[in-house]
Amino acid sequence: MKHHRWYQVLELSQVGEVRRAASEMAFSIGFCAEDAGRVAIVATELASNLVKHTTEGGEILMAAVEAGDCFGIEIISLDKGPGIENLQHMLLDGVSTAGTVGNGLGAIRRLSQVFDIYTRPEQGTVIVARIFERRWQPAAVSLEVGAIMRPFPGENVCGDGWAVRFSVGGGEILVTDGLGHGSQAAAASLDAVRFFRETATPSPAQFIRSIDAPMRYTRGAAMALASIDLVQRKVIYAGVGNIAGRILSPQGSAGCLSYNGTVGLNPGRFQENTYPWPEQALLVMHSDGLTSRWDHTAYPGLLTRLPTLVAAVLYRDFFRGNDDVTVVVVRQGC
């Protein structure tokens, strides 16, 4: 549960900052020089594109990630520029309209073990790239999970938190939002995540009831826990406070109910509700750093993309800018 580091990229001088940060992060998690070099090239290409192909620049989000026993670096590029025309051609290795060192999107895709892109004319482009150690191999999972977590602007720690626990037939996803922001909010969310990882979960409502007493030693938090059962095709959801949940599918969307209160302070009702889990469904959970006024139907084809890419598009377009923000997206794995 590490938050993303945020970099604004408006001019070429900031590309070097992104490249150095990417290299430092890669070496900090034990990458060899060759793998760190791949990270640096991908970061440079993504940041350069923000300057060369948009008039207002964009953002880079970066975080260390884990997959099994392998570590990696996730780099996300976000802009609201003109979008990419003839995307399939631009994804060919060696094609670059701006003549950058790495030779464009094709090189980014080649150097990354995980790559996805969403672009719309006059709405902008979001790119997700993950670079792992060379020994990394994709593994089958019951659920695919992607997330964006960014601190309140100006803070070094994030008051939100999230965690996932996989099972053979599904899994459980926790999202928390410590009261306020800063170190005390972060401590509350970290305690909630730690309790989740160390405690069996009979049901979402019982988990939130059981964590209320330990959370009284913190400033408290909003939280929601979703349990996805892929066998019985259902989601059991319990929430207290301002964590939003929504199940999306080609058939429509269904909101997941949370009740007023703060766990550890004034929790209100410990109640769970059950929702169907349709084919091709996604679950989106987010803190109130993201406005709830989003409509997935405005983004054709987005539901088929990587969960992290879905989370990144929602973050780009609906981040309030005045709070911590976490967006977690889940779909059935393969």
Side-chain angles (χ1 to χ4, degrees):
M1 189 197 74
K2 295 182 179 179
H3 67 76
H4 287 82
R5 297 182 186 176
W6 176 82
Y7 302 88
Q8 187 176 40
V9 182
L10 303 175
E11 56 187 35
L12 285 175
S13 64
Q14 294 169 312
V15 174
E17 178 188 358
V18 171
R19 181 181 64 251
R20 288 189 294 272
S23 295
E24 290 172 3
M25 186 178 291
F27 282 120
S28 74
I29 63 172
F31 270 26
C32 66
E34 180 183 358
D35 289 340
R38 289 192 294 127
V39 171
I41 292 173
V42 170
T44 301
E45 286 292 310
L46 290 173
S48 297
N49 286 344
L50 293 176
V51 177
K52 296 178 179 180
H53 299 298
T54 70
T55 57
E56 298 181 355
E59 306 173 48
I60 293 288
L61 297 175
M62 197 181 314
V65 294
E66 295 181 45
D69 63 346
C70 285
F71 292 94
I73 302 294
E74 179 175 81
I75 307 174
I76 303 170
S77 167
L78 311 98
D79 70 66
K80 294 184 178 181
I84 300 173
E85 295 184 7
N86 197 358
L87 177 60
Q88 293 308 311
H89 174 69
M90 295 305 300
L91 286 172
L92 295 175
D93 208 354
V95 175
S96 174
T97 59
T100 50
V101 175
N103 290 325
L105 293 176
I108 296 172
R109 183 167 64 171
R110 171 171 50 83
L111 293 169
S112 307
Q113 285 100 326
V114 177
F115 175 88
D116 205 359
I117 182 170
Y118 186 79
T119 186
R120 295 281 294 166
E122 305 307 321
Q123 294 182 18
T125 300
V126 177
I127 301 172
V128 173
R130 292 193 202 111
I131 305 95
F132 290 98
E133 304 165 86
R134 290 285 186 181
R135 63 188 179 89
W136 176 83
Q137 294 292 330
V141 291
S142 57
L143 298 172
E144 293 182 24
V145 183
I148 300 294
M149 188 166 76
R150 179 188 162 182
F152 179 90
E155 293 282 1
N156 294 320
V157 294
C158 186
D160 292 352
W162 71 277
V164 59
R165 181 160 49 210
F166 298 102
S167 63
V168 175
E172 299 164 325
I173 303 92
L174 175 74
V175 177
T176 71
D177 180 357
L179 197 62
H181 54 83
S183 59
Q184 292 188 47
S189 284
L190 285 170
D191 281 355
V193 168
R194 187 180 303 112
F195 190 87
F196 171 74
R197 288 175 172 163
E198 296 174 352
T199 307
T201 309
S203 74
Q206 290 182 49
F207 169 80
I208 295 178
R209 182 188 298 275
S210 67
I211 199 177
D212 180 58
M215 289 294 290
R216 292 184 182 275
Y217 295 95
T218 74
R219 62 165 51 180
M223 69 178 64
L225 179 63
S227 177
I228 300 177
D229 187 330
L230 298 175
V231 177
Q232 299 188 37
R233 310 299 307 179
K234 66 180 182 180
V235 179
I236 303 175
Y237 188 98
V240 173
N242 52 16
I243 304 299
R246 199 183 302 183
I247 300 169
L248 311 178
S249 74
Q251 292 74 43
S253 67
C256 300
L257 188 60
S258 286
Y259 296 91
N260 292 333
T262 303
V263 179
L265 188 63
N266 180 24
R269 300 170 66 182
F270 302 109
Q271 185 168 328
E272 61 192 27
N273 294 280
T274 301
Y275 306 90
W277 180 253
E279 295 291 337
Q280 304 177 52
L282 276 77
L283 171 65
V284 179
M285 300 172 67
H286 62 81
S287 64
D288 67 345
L290 195 81
T291 176
S292 60
R293 297 180 180 275
W294 53 269
D295 179 3
H296 71 283
T297 62
Y299 300 88
L302 183 61
L303 298 191
T304 66
R305 315 311 301 180
L306 282 177
T308 302
L309 188 64
V310 178
V313 170
L314 293 177
Y315 157 80
R316 180 196 64 180
D317 292 349
F318 298 100
F319 176 42
R320 295 181 187 273
N322 60 357
D323 200 354
D324 305 298
V325 62
T326 296
V327 189
V328 180
V329 179
V330 187
R331 73 178 178 196
Q332 184 170 345
C334 54

PDB file of all heavy atoms in Angstrom, residues 126-149:
ATOM      1  N   VAL A 126      -4.105   8.640 -21.379  1.00  0.00           N
ATOM      2  CA  VAL A 126      -3.558   8.072 -20.145  1.00  0.00           C
ATOM      3  C   VAL A 126      -2.811   6.798 -20.520  1.00  0.00           C
ATOM      4  O   VAL A 126      -3.330   5.958 -21.258  1.00  0.00           O
ATOM      5  CB  VAL A 126      -4.660   7.760 -19.114  1.00  0.00           C
ATOM      6  CG1 VAL A 126      -4.056   7.104 -17.870  1.00  0.00           C
ATOM      7  CG2 VAL A 126      -5.408   9.030 -18.727  1.00  0.00           C
ATOM      8  N   ILE A 127      -1.594   6.660 -20.023  1.00  0.00           N
ATOM      9  CA  ILE A 127      -0.756   5.499 -20.313  1.00  0.00           C
ATOM     10  C   ILE A 127      -0.279   4.896 -19.001  1.00  0.00           C
ATOM     11  O   ILE A 127       0.166   5.615 -18.101  1.00  0.00           O
ATOM     12  CB  ILE A 127       0.466   5.882 -21.171  1.00  0.00           C
ATOM     13  CG1 ILE A 127       0.014   6.503 -22.499  1.00  0.00           C
ATOM     14  CG2 ILE A 127       1.354   4.663 -21.431  1.00  0.00           C
ATOM     15  CD1 ILE A 127       1.151   7.088 -23.313  1.00  0.00           C
ATOM     16  N   VAL A 128      -0.377   3.577 -18.897  1.00  0.00           N
ATOM     17  CA  VAL A 128       0.142   2.841 -17.744  1.00  0.00           C
ATOM     18  C   VAL A 128       1.257   1.927 -18.228  1.00  0.00           C
ATOM     19  O   VAL A 128       1.067   1.149 -19.168  1.00  0.00           O
ATOM     20  CB  VAL A 128      -0.956   2.001 -17.063  1.00  0.00           C
ATOM     21  CG1 VAL A 128      -0.358   1.116 -15.965  1.00  0.00           C
ATOM     22  CG2 VAL A 128      -2.038   2.902 -16.485  1.00  0.00           C
ATOM     23  N   ALA A 129       2.421   2.026 -17.594  1.00  0.00           N
ATOM     24  CA  ALA A 129       3.551   1.149 -17.914  1.00  0.00           C
ATOM     25  C   ALA A 129       4.126   0.603 -16.614  1.00  0.00           C
ATOM     26  O   ALA A 129       4.340   1.363 -15.662  1.00  0.00           O
ATOM     27  CB  ALA A 129       4.624   1.910 -18.688  1.00  0.00           C
ATOM     28  N   ARG A 130       4.362  -0.704 -16.568  1.00  0.00           N
ATOM     29  CA  ARG A 130       5.024  -1.318 -15.415  1.00  0.00           C
ATOM     30  C   ARG A 130       6.263  -2.047 -15.900  1.00  0.00           C
ATOM     31  O   ARG A 130       6.206  -2.826 -16.856  1.00  0.00           O
ATOM     32  CB  ARG A 130       4.107  -2.301 -14.684  1.00  0.00           C
ATOM     33  CG  ARG A 130       2.946  -1.656 -13.983  1.00  0.00           C
ATOM     34  CD  ARG A 130       2.243  -2.602 -13.014  1.00  0.00           C
ATOM     35  NE  ARG A 130       0.883  -2.133 -12.766  1.00  0.00           N
ATOM     36  CZ  ARG A 130      -0.209  -2.746 -13.183  1.00  0.00           C
ATOM     37  NH1 ARG A 130      -0.107  -3.884 -13.851  1.00  0.00           N
ATOM     38  NH2 ARG A 130      -1.400  -2.244 -12.934  1.00  0.00           N
ATOM     39  N   ILE A 131       7.357  -1.788 -15.208  1.00  0.00           N
ATOM     40  CA  ILE A 131       8.630  -2.413 -15.537  1.00  0.00           C
ATOM     41  C   ILE A 131       9.059  -3.246 -14.342  1.00  0.00           C
ATOM     42  O   ILE A 131       9.265  -2.709 -13.243  1.00  0.00           O
ATOM     43  CB  ILE A 131       9.708  -1.359 -15.869  1.00  0.00           C
ATOM     44  CG1 ILE A 131       9.224  -0.431 -16.992  1.00  0.00           C
ATOM     45  CG2 ILE A 131      11.006  -2.047 -16.272  1.00  0.00           C
ATOM     46  CD1 ILE A 131       8.581   0.852 -16.515  1.00  0.00           C
ATOM     47  N   PHE A 132       9.159  -4.559 -14.540  1.00  0.00           N
ATOM     48  CA  PHE A 132       9.561  -5.467 -13.474  1.00  0.00           C
ATOM     49  C   PHE A 132      10.978  -5.975 -13.719  1.00  0.00           C
ATOM     50  O   PHE A 132      11.558  -5.781 -14.795  1.00  0.00           O
ATOM     51  CB  PHE A 132       8.609  -6.676 -13.411  1.00  0.00           C
ATOM     52  CG  PHE A 132       7.232  -6.354 -12.915  1.00  0.00           C
ATOM     53  CD1 PHE A 132       6.188  -6.136 -13.802  1.00  0.00           C
ATOM     54  CD2 PHE A 132       6.972  -6.274 -11.555  1.00  0.00           C
ATOM     55  CE1 PHE A 132       4.912  -5.843 -13.354  1.00  0.00           C
ATOM     56  CE2 PHE A 132       5.697  -5.982 -11.090  1.00  0.00           C
ATOM     57  CZ  PHE A 132       4.669  -5.766 -11.989  1.00  0.00           C
ATOM     58  N   GLU A 133      11.496  -6.659 -12.708  1.00  0.00           N
ATOM     59  CA  GLU A 133      12.737  -7.388 -12.899  1.00  0.00           C
ATOM     60  C   GLU A 133      12.564  -8.373 -14.055  1.00  0.00           C
ATOM     61  O   GLU A 133      11.464  -8.845 -14.328  1.00  0.00           O
ATOM     62  CB  GLU A 133      13.092  -8.152 -11.620  1.00  0.00           C
ATOM     63  CG  GLU A 133      13.200  -7.281 -10.379  1.00  0.00           C
ATOM     64  CD  GLU A 133      13.181  -8.113  -9.114  1.00  0.00           C
ATOM     65  OE1 GLU A 133      14.267  -8.570  -8.706  1.00  0.00           O
ATOM     66  OE2 GLU A 133      12.093  -8.319  -8.550  1.00  0.00           O
ATOM     67  N   ARG A 134      13.668  -8.695 -14.725  1.00  0.00           N
ATOM     68  CA  ARG A 134      13.608  -9.553 -15.907  1.00  0.00           C
ATOM     69  C   ARG A 134      12.984 -10.915 -15.613  1.00  0.00           C
ATOM     70  O   ARG A 134      12.373 -11.533 -16.479  1.00  0.00           O
ATOM     71  CB  ARG A 134      15.014  -9.749 -16.472  1.00  0.00           C
ATOM     72  CG  ARG A 134      15.611  -8.509 -17.120  1.00  0.00           C
ATOM     73  CD  ARG A 134      15.007  -8.235 -18.473  1.00  0.00           C
ATOM     74  NE  ARG A 134      15.672  -7.128 -19.151  1.00  0.00           N
ATOM     75  CZ  ARG A 134      15.314  -6.672 -20.341  1.00  0.00           C
ATOM     76  NH1 ARG A 134      14.294  -7.214 -20.977  1.00  0.00           N
ATOM     77  NH2 ARG A 134      15.963  -5.663 -20.889  1.00  0.00           N
ATOM     78  N   ARG A 135      13.127 -11.409 -14.379  1.00  0.00           N
ATOM     79  CA  ARG A 135      12.644 -12.749 -14.059  1.00  0.00           C
ATOM     80  C   ARG A 135      11.129 -12.798 -13.860  1.00  0.00           C
ATOM     81  O   ARG A 135      10.559 -13.878 -13.706  1.00  0.00           O
ATOM     82  CB  ARG A 135      13.334 -13.267 -12.796  1.00  0.00           C
ATOM     83  CG  ARG A 135      13.039 -12.458 -11.538  1.00  0.00           C
ATOM     84  CD  ARG A 135      13.915 -12.906 -10.369  1.00  0.00           C
ATOM     85  NE  ARG A 135      13.663 -12.134  -9.163  1.00  0.00           N
ATOM     86  CZ  ARG A 135      12.749 -12.441  -8.252  1.00  0.00           C
ATOM     87  NH1 ARG A 135      11.984 -13.517  -8.420  1.00  0.00           N
ATOM     88  NH2 ARG A 135      12.586 -11.695  -7.180  1.00  0.00           N
ATOM     89  N   TRP A 136      10.461 -11.654 -13.886  1.00  0.00           N
ATOM     90  CA  TRP A 136       9.019 -11.619 -13.652  1.00  0.00           C
ATOM     91  C   TRP A 136       8.263 -12.381 -14.724  1.00  0.00           C
ATOM     92  O   TRP A 136       8.569 -12.297 -15.915  1.00  0.00           O
ATOM     93  CB  TRP A 136       8.533 -10.174 -13.629  1.00  0.00           C
ATOM     94  CG  TRP A 136       7.040 -10.030 -13.482  1.00  0.00           C
ATOM     95  CD1 TRP A 136       6.319 -10.063 -12.331  1.00  0.00           C
ATOM     96  CD2 TRP A 136       6.091  -9.830 -14.538  1.00  0.00           C
ATOM     97  NE1 TRP A 136       4.977  -9.890 -12.595  1.00  0.00           N
ATOM     98  CE2 TRP A 136       4.806  -9.748 -13.943  1.00  0.00           C
ATOM     99  CE3 TRP A 136       6.196  -9.716 -15.929  1.00  0.00           C
ATOM    100  CZ2 TRP A 136       3.649  -9.553 -14.686  1.00  0.00           C
ATOM    101  CZ3 TRP A 136       5.033  -9.527 -16.669  1.00  0.00           C
ATOM    102  CH2 TRP A 136       3.783  -9.446 -16.049  1.00  0.00           C
ATOM    103  N   GLN A 137       7.260 -13.149 -14.294  1.00  0.00           N
ATOM    104  CA  GLN A 137       6.365 -13.848 -15.208  1.00  0.00           C
ATOM    105  C   GLN A 137       4.927 -13.595 -14.761  1.00  0.00           C
ATOM    106  O   GLN A 137       4.633 -13.625 -13.567  1.00  0.00           O
ATOM    107  CB  GLN A 137       6.637 -15.363 -15.209  1.00  0.00           C
ATOM    108  CG  GLN A 137       7.995 -15.759 -15.768  1.00  0.00           C
ATOM    109  CD  GLN A 137       8.100 -15.494 -17.260  1.00  0.00           C
ATOM    110  OE1 GLN A 137       7.100 -15.552 -17.983  1.00  0.00           O
ATOM    111  NE2 GLN A 137       9.305 -15.198 -17.726  1.00  0.00           N
ATOM    112  N   PRO A 138       4.011 -13.337 -15.699  1.00  0.00           N
ATOM    113  CA  PRO A 138       2.614 -13.130 -15.300  1.00  0.00           C
ATOM    114  C   PRO A 138       2.034 -14.389 -14.677  1.00  0.00           C
ATOM    115  O   PRO A 138       2.354 -15.508 -15.092  1.00  0.00           O
ATOM    116  CB  PRO A 138       1.918 -12.782 -16.623  1.00  0.00           C
ATOM    117  CG  PRO A 138       2.814 -13.325 -17.689  1.00  0.00           C
ATOM    118  CD  PRO A 138       4.207 -13.244 -17.154  1.00  0.00           C
ATOM    119  N   ALA A 139       1.203 -14.208 -13.663  1.00  0.00           N
ATOM    120  CA  ALA A 139       0.597 -15.333 -12.949  1.00  0.00           C
ATOM    121  C   ALA A 139      -0.913 -15.185 -12.947  1.00  0.00           C
ATOM    122  O   ALA A 139      -1.448 -14.071 -12.943  1.00  0.00           O
ATOM    123  CB  ALA A 139       1.126 -15.397 -11.517  1.00  0.00           C
ATOM    124  N   ALA A 140      -1.594 -16.322 -12.956  1.00  0.00           N
ATOM    125  CA  ALA A 140      -3.058 -16.303 -12.899  1.00  0.00           C
ATOM    126  C   ALA A 140      -3.510 -15.845 -11.513  1.00  0.00           C
ATOM    127  O   ALA A 140      -2.947 -16.254 -10.494  1.00  0.00           O
ATOM    128  CB  ALA A 140      -3.605 -17.690 -13.199  1.00  0.00           C
ATOM    129  N   VAL A 141      -4.507 -14.976 -11.467  1.00  0.00           N
ATOM    130  CA  VAL A 141      -5.046 -14.472 -10.206  1.00  0.00           C
ATOM    131  C   VAL A 141      -6.566 -14.504 -10.272  1.00  0.00           C
ATOM    132  O   VAL A 141      -7.161 -14.435 -11.347  1.00  0.00           O
ATOM    133  CB  VAL A 141      -4.569 -13.029  -9.914  1.00  0.00           C
ATOM    134  CG1 VAL A 141      -3.084 -13.000  -9.610  1.00  0.00           C
ATOM    135  CG2 VAL A 141      -4.889 -12.102 -11.081  1.00  0.00           C
ATOM    136  N   SER A 142      -7.194 -14.614  -9.098  1.00  0.00           N
ATOM    137  CA  SER A 142      -8.654 -14.632  -9.065  1.00  0.00           C
ATOM    138  C   SER A 142      -9.231 -13.261  -9.395  1.00  0.00           C
ATOM    139  O   SER A 142     -10.280 -13.152 -10.044  1.00  0.00           O
ATOM    140  CB  SER A 142      -9.145 -15.089  -7.687  1.00  0.00           C
ATOM    141  OG  SER A 142      -8.631 -14.238  -6.661  1.00  0.00           O
ATOM    142  N   LEU A 143      -8.540 -12.211  -8.954  1.00  0.00           N
ATOM    143  CA  LEU A 143      -8.984 -10.844  -9.202  1.00  0.00           C
ATOM    144  C   LEU A 143      -7.816 -10.007  -9.706  1.00  0.00           C
ATOM    145  O   LEU A 143      -6.691 -10.137  -9.216  1.00  0.00           O
ATOM    146  CB  LEU A 143      -9.532 -10.207  -7.920  1.00  0.00           C
ATOM    147  CG  LEU A 143     -10.761 -10.843  -7.278  1.00  0.00           C
ATOM    148  CD1 LEU A 143     -11.039 -10.197  -5.929  1.00  0.00           C
ATOM    149  CD2 LEU A 143     -11.981 -10.718  -8.186  1.00  0.00           C
ATOM    150  N   GLU A 144      -8.086  -9.143 -10.666  1.00  0.00           N
ATOM    151  CA  GLU A 144      -7.117  -8.141 -11.090  1.00  0.00           C
ATOM    152  C   GLU A 144      -7.463  -6.836 -10.382  1.00  0.00           C
ATOM    153  O   GLU A 144      -8.611  -6.392 -10.418  1.00  0.00           O
ATOM    154  CB  GLU A 144      -7.165  -7.938 -12.601  1.00  0.00           C
ATOM    155  CG  GLU A 144      -6.708  -9.138 -13.408  1.00  0.00           C
ATOM    156  CD  GLU A 144      -6.734  -8.853 -14.899  1.00  0.00           C
ATOM    157  OE1 GLU A 144      -6.647  -7.664 -15.276  1.00  0.00           O
ATOM    158  OE2 GLU A 144      -6.860  -9.805 -15.676  1.00  0.00           O
ATOM    159  N   VAL A 145      -6.466  -6.240  -9.751  1.00  0.00           N
ATOM    160  CA  VAL A 145      -6.692  -5.039  -8.948  1.00  0.00           C
ATOM    161  C   VAL A 145      -5.716  -3.956  -9.381  1.00  0.00           C
ATOM    162  O   VAL A 145      -4.519  -4.206  -9.552  1.00  0.00           O
ATOM    163  CB  VAL A 145      -6.506  -5.326  -7.444  1.00  0.00           C
ATOM    164  CG1 VAL A 145      -6.823  -4.079  -6.623  1.00  0.00           C
ATOM    165  CG2 VAL A 145      -7.381  -6.492  -7.007  1.00  0.00           C
ATOM    166  N   GLY A 146      -6.227  -2.756  -9.566  1.00  0.00           N
ATOM    167  CA  GLY A 146      -5.390  -1.602  -9.862  1.00  0.00           C
ATOM    168  C   GLY A 146      -5.826  -0.430  -9.011  1.00  0.00           C
ATOM    169  O   GLY A 146      -7.007  -0.322  -8.646  1.00  0.00           O
ATOM    170  N   ALA A 147      -4.891   0.451  -8.682  1.00  0.00           N
ATOM    171  CA  ALA A 147      -5.238   1.556  -7.783  1.00  0.00           C
ATOM    172  C   ALA A 147      -4.385   2.779  -8.057  1.00  0.00           C
ATOM    173  O   ALA A 147      -3.237   2.675  -8.505  1.00  0.00           O
ATOM    174  CB  ALA A 147      -5.071   1.129  -6.328  1.00  0.00           C
ATOM    175  N   ILE A 148      -4.963   3.921  -7.767  1.00  0.00           N
ATOM    176  CA  ILE A 148      -4.253   5.194  -7.702  1.00  0.00           C
ATOM    177  C   ILE A 148      -4.422   5.708  -6.276  1.00  0.00           C
ATOM    178  O   ILE A 148      -5.545   5.771  -5.762  1.00  0.00           O
ATOM    179  CB  ILE A 148      -4.834   6.230  -8.683  1.00  0.00           C
ATOM    180  CG1 ILE A 148      -4.739   5.734 -10.126  1.00  0.00           C
ATOM    181  CG2 ILE A 148      -4.133   7.579  -8.507  1.00  0.00           C
ATOM    182  CD1 ILE A 148      -3.337   5.584 -10.654  1.00  0.00           C
ATOM    183  N   MET A 149      -3.315   6.060  -5.630  1.00  0.00           N
ATOM    184  CA  MET A 149      -3.383   6.643  -4.293  1.00  0.00           C
ATOM    185  C   MET A 149      -2.399   7.806  -4.240  1.00  0.00           C
ATOM    186  O   MET A 149      -1.194   7.618  -4.411  1.00  0.00           O
ATOM    187  CB  MET A 149      -3.059   5.609  -3.216  1.00  0.00           C
ATOM    188  CG  MET A 149      -3.296   6.126  -1.803  1.00  0.00           C
ATOM    189  SD  MET A 149      -3.303   4.833  -0.528  1.00  0.00           S
ATOM    190  CE  MET A 149      -1.553   4.495  -0.367  1.00  0.00           C
TER     191      MET A 149
END
